[in-house]
Amino acid sequence: MTDELTPETPDEDEQPIKQRKNGLYPGVSDELAENMKSGWADTELRDLQPIEQAPNAARRRAALSARFPGERLVIPAGNLKTRSNDTEYSFRASTEYVYLTGDQTDDSVLVLEPTKDGHEATLYRLPRSDRENGEFWLNGMGELWVGRRHSLTESAALLGVACKDVRELAEALKEATGPVRVVRGHDAGIEAALADKVTAERDEELRVHLSEARVVKDEFEIGQLQKAVDSTVRGFEDVVKVLDKAEATSERYIEGTFFLRARVEGNDVGYGSICAAGPHATTLHWVRNDGPVRSGDLLLLDAGVETDTLYTADVTRTLPINGRFSDLQRKIYDAVFEAQEAGIAAVKPGAAYRDFHDAAQRVLAERLVEWGLVEGPVERVLELGLQRRWTLHGTGHMLGLDVHDCAAARTETYVNGTLEPGMVLTVEPGLYFQSDDLTVPEEYRGIGVRIEDDILVTDDGNRNLSAALPRRSDEVEAWMAGLKK
Ligand SMILES: [Mn+2]
């Protein structure tokens, strides 16, 4: 990447520091400044059609409006975060903002202004860069540096919401009167402007509402999740095809291979890929991915492509690196598969959310007792939770814009709630025998297995969105053999 403009005649006493974001660069002659103002074509885009999810976003804003009548609601997209010096992490807009607008532009803020019969939505965002004052090329946030932005008129046409200059928002919020709530954690500047008008408790109610609103997905969201899963399936196939290269290098080869698919077909990975070979599979969130990949070991790959609309898949397969499970690996794998089957069967409308977890845990406890790793009976093991030494985590979670979606939802609507058509959740039991677990026979140590699928609750049961990836041990082997040919 290139650096900023270099001053023609640096004068260290007068202009010791180059200002990237807000100041003008030194050393620009009046003639050049004047020259840069003109000679640019009108590129305004006309007759733009609204984005596909615009009507869905409008419905979501209407539901939000109905929940908080008479209150001003402020939902920021968030700001760029510094990675180092003058480089930033790639931007990912806040889930709440994306859900309510379909937009992903940094520094933007959605404001719902109360009116007598509801709310009026306004999107505050940066307009096109000014050419007259030189900001488009003399400021590091100018379009010459970061790329063309949509004009406010273009954005309004695309998103179906009136747009205004975000640089006027903080002042307007400071002066405004009446009740107001903001989604916290995304935009410190906006929060500062509202500091003496909001309370943590009321803001949390807004966040909770937006989390619970996302529990049931609409048709657009289900389509996007299927798209994310389909790309993820191709990413898993990519990985199987290059396992020999991973053996010659490290888990990083697997991470990079999956990431290529994520970037080509989507926006990114929805979370750091877990590429855990051998004993690393027993570390639940192994994302260092710097270990060796060895024939004879298992690879636990937990990864998901995030679509350009920011919906993510979350899929795990545990694969024999050499294409064939050993007897013990198969025994453990088949137990997890059986637990997952029991879990998936418990996903249906009207069932308690906890049912699929309980169903999977029961199967795992039964096997652990059967193998003599824990003393039965199974009821005692489940009552005391003794299986959890090796099952470690919950059996699933909601999935959507966030990989752990709807996380702010109240216990009564989520964990203690009831499944409804349109919910999408993961079912992902696992068994993990740590390398240093002296309570299990030595041959178990360092084996970790998880199988995870993305399940849509339908009117009469469920649909496995990730069914295209085989799960049964013999089918996994056949699938791998087919890909490696
Ligand atoms: Mn998961």
Side-chain angles (χ1 to χ4, degrees), residues 4-5 18-20 23-28 137-140 145:
E4 297 119 19
L5 295 176
K18 283 193 291 179
Q19 296 286 320
R20 180 163 182 260
L24 298 186
Y25 295 99
V28 174
W137 70 292
L138 291 169
N139 179 315
W145 291 94

Side-chain angles (χ1 to χ4, degrees), residues 254-469:
I254 294 163
E255 180 184 331
T257 299
F258 190 83
F259 183 63
L260 176 63
R261 182 64 70 172
R263 283 297 277 173
V264 169
E265 296 195 2
N267 175 61
D268 201 341
V269 288
Y271 54 96
S273 299
I274 298 167
C275 307
H280 289 156
T282 66
T283 301
L284 295 180
H285 288 170
W286 177 259
V287 292
R288 275 182 251 161
N289 301 338
D290 58 357
V293 177
R294 295 195 180 99
S295 175
D297 281 349
L298 296 175
L299 167 70
L300 186 157
L301 176 59
D302 181 344
V305 172
E306 178 186 71
T307 61
D308 288 322
T309 55
L310 306 190
Y311 287 84
T312 189
D314 180 9
V315 175
T316 307
R317 288 294 181 268
T318 305
L319 310 171
I321 289 161
N322 64 12
R324 199 163 165 76
F325 291 99
S326 72
D327 289 347
L328 180 62
Q329 287 168 351
R330 191 185 308 274
K331 180 175 94 165
I332 297 168
Y333 183 95
D334 287 350
V336 174
F337 172 70
E338 201 192 328
Q340 197 203 20
E341 286 281 272
I344 293 173
V347 175
K348 52 193 166 194
Y353 176 83
R354 286 179 186 277
D355 285 355
F356 76 93
H357 173 70
D358 293 342
Q361 290 288 305
R362 173 168 293 276
V363 171
L364 295 174
E366 283 168 2
R367 294 298 155 269
L368 290 163
V369 168
E370 197 178 294
W371 300 339
L373 302 185
V374 62
E375 197 188 319
V378 170
E379 291 307 330
R380 180 192 84 100
V381 172
L382 288 169
E383 198 174 311
L384 300 176
L386 300 179
Q387 80 284 0
R388 291 172 58 183
R389 182 180 176 100
W390 304 286
T391 66
L392 296 182
H393 54 77
T395 306
H397 52 83
M398 296 291 178
L399 183 70
L401 283 166
D402 288 335
V403 60
H404 295 158
D405 207 32
C406 315
R410 291 164 300 170
T411 305
E412 59 260 42
T413 55
Y414 187 169
V415 180
N416 288 346
T418 303
L419 296 183
E420 288 175 50
M423 291 179 173
V424 177
L425 47 110
T426 68
V427 178
E428 49 173 317
L431 280 176
Y432 311 90
F433 301 102
Q434 305 298 319
S435 301
D436 58 353
D437 187 344
L438 301 180
T439 71
V440 298
E442 203 174 342
E443 63 267 26
Y444 282 73
R445 296 176 202 162
I447 295 180
V449 173
R450 178 163 64 253
I451 313 173
E452 175 175 31
D453 285 79
D454 301 341
I455 310 293
L456 166 69
V457 183
T458 59
D459 289 332
D460 55 358
N462 70 64
R463 187 165 91 229
N464 183 350
L465 302 180
S466 41
L469 278 181

